[in-house]
Amino acid sequence: MTPQIMICLGIFVFMILGYVFTDKLKTSSGVIATCVFCLVAFSGLLPAKDVLGVLSNANVTLIASMFIVAAGFNRTQAVHKLSSLVYKFSGGKFQTALIGYLLLTFALTQFIPSPMAVFAILAPMASAMCTECGVSPSKAMFPIALVVVGTCSTLPIGNGATTFAVQNGYLESYGYTDYAMQMLDPFKGRILASSIVVLYSMFIAPRLCPDQPTVPITMGAGNRKAGNGPAPLDPVREVLGYGIFALTTVAMIFQTKLGLPSWQIALGGATLVVATGVLKPDEAAKAVPIRIVMLILAALSLGTAMVSCGLGDMIGNSIAGILGGTKNGYLIGAVFFVIPFILTQFMQNQSVSNIFVPILILTCKSLGCNPVGPLVLLQASTLTAFMTPMATPAIPVVMEYGGYDVKDLLKMGWLPSIIIAVSSVLIVMTVFPAY
């Protein structure tokens, strides 16, 4: 173990313990995240240019911009009107209204490949719906997050339609062309597990969510009292607020056809929100919570450092060694789901995928087994991250809307994690046997 790996491991442990014991340390997760970012920067784990690169990461721009776009929409009367409409059609029943939002969430997350963007679109309306029903947003935000994250790109449309081509490219790159993934294979492998996630989110997850926020809610209708909001917009800016939000959402759905990355679409929407006066400059600045940005920067910087110093490879190679020469397809599938799933709670999912794709393919090649099932499981595991603030950029936002702390995430997340892991491995490795 090199000195850099030891330093990186030490920072990693500090981050986890810091997030868990923020209350006892009498600090905040934002302060811990800032310390982690500084430790990575000053420890020499990453060159200065790479640290600066984290600050300009596309995900950070996307997140900050979507906060502004969502705040602009939240500034209009649309959120209140839509939540009132949902309340009316649901007969005032929270469970019925939540089911409707979860189905909409599943649909949007198939078209928009960013869980953060989907959650930012739906959270203001869901929060207002909770207020209409007299229920704390704490009961709804985590179930929505489960669907946003756990079912992303399940259907063979949008981003999900290109998964097979990407995986076949990897198989060709590593010289294992005995097998090839078909377009519908990821769908076949994930649809049942995704359906379980949706049903769990509808009927079980709300029962395990806290009745009241553990920490103050800082975003959405849950942090405002009646009559305390700003004055309504004038008719022209009200319409502009609707239009910009709708335009940004539609552009996100058709981003591949437009040939524009998500961050450019979100940045364009945020610029229009301010330029048209839907939000004043100071309102737009306040819409971007620095604490959440620091949580994301800490996760990105440390995840990059783990890959750069070799800690990620060390973990991956250890896993390959554990497998040995096993012929048990379910064991192979479990290893390539569970370990990446755990790592994705602390590292960027693309980094975890980059580490494990070559290990997975070369291991399957050595064992002479079919790599399609393990590849489907690897994709599912790296997309299913919701147990820590570092898991995916969407989770810090979920915490703000739901009033959750890290302990809440662990309490709400352990059961669906087990269900998703077991169901995914059993289903995928039955549909695509290793031998």
Side-chain angles (χ1 to χ4, degrees):
M1 187 179 292
T2 66
Q4 280 198 319
I5 290 178
M6 294 178 66
I7 293 170
C8 190
L9 184 59
I11 297 174
F12 178 65
V13 172
F14 165 78
M15 180 177 68
I16 295 173
L17 295 178
Y19 285 152
V20 173
F21 297 107
T22 49
D23 291 340
K24 292 186 178 181
L25 294 171
K26 296 182 179 180
T27 185
S28 71
S29 55
V31 173
I32 298 297
T34 304
C35 291
V36 170
F37 183 75
C38 290
L39 286 171
V40 171
F42 290 108
S43 64
L45 288 173
L46 291 177
K49 63 181 180 63
D50 290 344
V51 177
L52 288 173
V54 171
L55 290 171
S56 60
N57 183 274
N59 281 322
V60 177
T61 304
L62 169 66
I63 290 158
S65 300
M66 283 306 298
F67 271 125
I68 296 172
V69 172
F73 185 63
N74 208 19
R75 182 71 175 78
T76 70
Q77 299 301 304
V79 171
H80 173 71
K81 291 177 181 178
L82 288 170
S83 62
S84 297
L85 187 63
V86 171
Y87 179 82
K88 179 181 178 181
F89 277 100
S90 65
K93 296 179 180 179
F94 168 75
Q95 182 71 35
T96 304
L98 179 61
I99 288 174
Y101 273 105
L102 291 172
L103 291 174
L104 178 59
T105 300
F106 176 78
L108 279 180
T109 202
Q110 306 312 310
F111 290 98
I112 302 175
S114 167
M116 167 60 214
V118 175
F119 189 82
I121 290 168
L122 293 172
M125 291 180 282
S127 180
M129 175 272 291
C130 291
T131 301
E132 291 276 355
C133 294
V135 176
S136 170
S138 303
K139 302 295 287 184
M141 293 303 153
F142 188 74
I144 292 173
L146 276 179
V147 176
V148 165
V149 176
T151 68
C152 181
S153 300
T154 297
L155 301 183
I157 53 180
N159 219 42
T162 64
T163 301
F164 81 103
V166 173
Q167 303 291 26
N168 285 337
Y170 285 133
L171 288 170
E172 186 175 347
S173 297
Y174 293 101
Y176 196 30
T177 55
D178 295 351
Y179 298 89
M181 185 177 289
Q182 304 302 312
M183 181 178 178
L184 293 181
D185 285 351
F187 167 74
K188 293 176 183 176
R190 295 188 60 203
I191 185 59
L192 286 178
S194 292
S195 300
I196 291 171
V197 171
V198 174
L199 292 172
Y200 178 93
S201 301
M202 288 177 176
F203 302 109
I204 300 177
R207 299 181 183 182
L208 302 181
C209 295
D211 293 329
Q212 297 296 326
T214 304
V215 298
I217 292 176
T218 60
M219 301 187 71
N223 75 321
R224 294 192 300 271
K225 296 180 180 179
N228 284 354
L233 295 170
D234 61 69
V236 174
R237 287 182 173 80
E238 180 80 7
V239 173
L240 285 170
Y242 300 157
I244 294 169
F245 183 79
L247 181 64
T248 303
T249 302
V250 171
M252 284 280 191
I253 293 173
F254 296 104
Q255 67 171 103
T256 53
K257 293 185 177 180
L258 293 172
L260 294 172
S262 297
W263 71 267
Q264 288 186 359
I265 295 170
L267 181 61
T271 302
L272 286 173
V273 165
V274 180
T276 57
V278 175
L279 285 182
K280 297 177 182 177
D282 61 328
E283 291 175 326
K286 291 177 182 177
V288 184
I290 299 301
R291 187 177 77 87
I292 293 178
V293 173
M294 290 312 304
L295 285 169
I296 295 162
L297 289 175
L300 289 172
S301 60
L302 186 56
T304 304
M306 290 175 73
V307 175
S308 177
C309 74
L311 178 58
D313 285 333
M314 186 180 76
I315 296 171
N317 290 330
S318 299
I319 294 167
I322 292 172
L323 277 174
T326 183
K327 297 292 183 180
N328 188 321
Y330 293 101
L331 177 59
I332 296 170
V335 167
F336 284 113
F337 183 95
V338 174
I339 305 302
F341 173 84
I342 294 172
L343 284 179
T344 305
Q345 311 307 317
F346 307 101
M347 292 175 63
Q348 188 183 26
N349 59 354
Q350 191 58 54
S351 297
V352 177
S353 181
N354 289 342
I355 290 169
F356 278 94
V357 163
I359 296 171
L360 185 157
I361 293 174
L362 294 175
T363 300
C364 290
K365 185 177 181 181
S366 175
L367 295 172
C369 70
N370 184 352
V372 171
L375 282 171
V376 171
L377 286 171
L378 177 62
Q379 181 211 19
S381 68
T382 55
L383 288 174
T384 310
F386 47 75
M387 291 185 68
T388 72
M390 304 85 76
T392 176
I395 296 304
V397 187
V398 174
M399 295 171 72
E400 299 294 325
Y401 270 97
Y404 307 128
D405 62 12
V406 176
K407 292 179 182 177
D408 288 329
L409 292 180
L410 295 174
K411 289 177 183 177
M412 295 184 294
W414 71 269
L415 181 56
S417 295
I418 293 174
I419 292 173
I420 291 170
V422 173
S423 61
S424 295
V425 172
L426 290 177
I427 293 168
V428 171
M429 296 312 296
T430 299
V431 175
F432 303 106
Y435 295 97

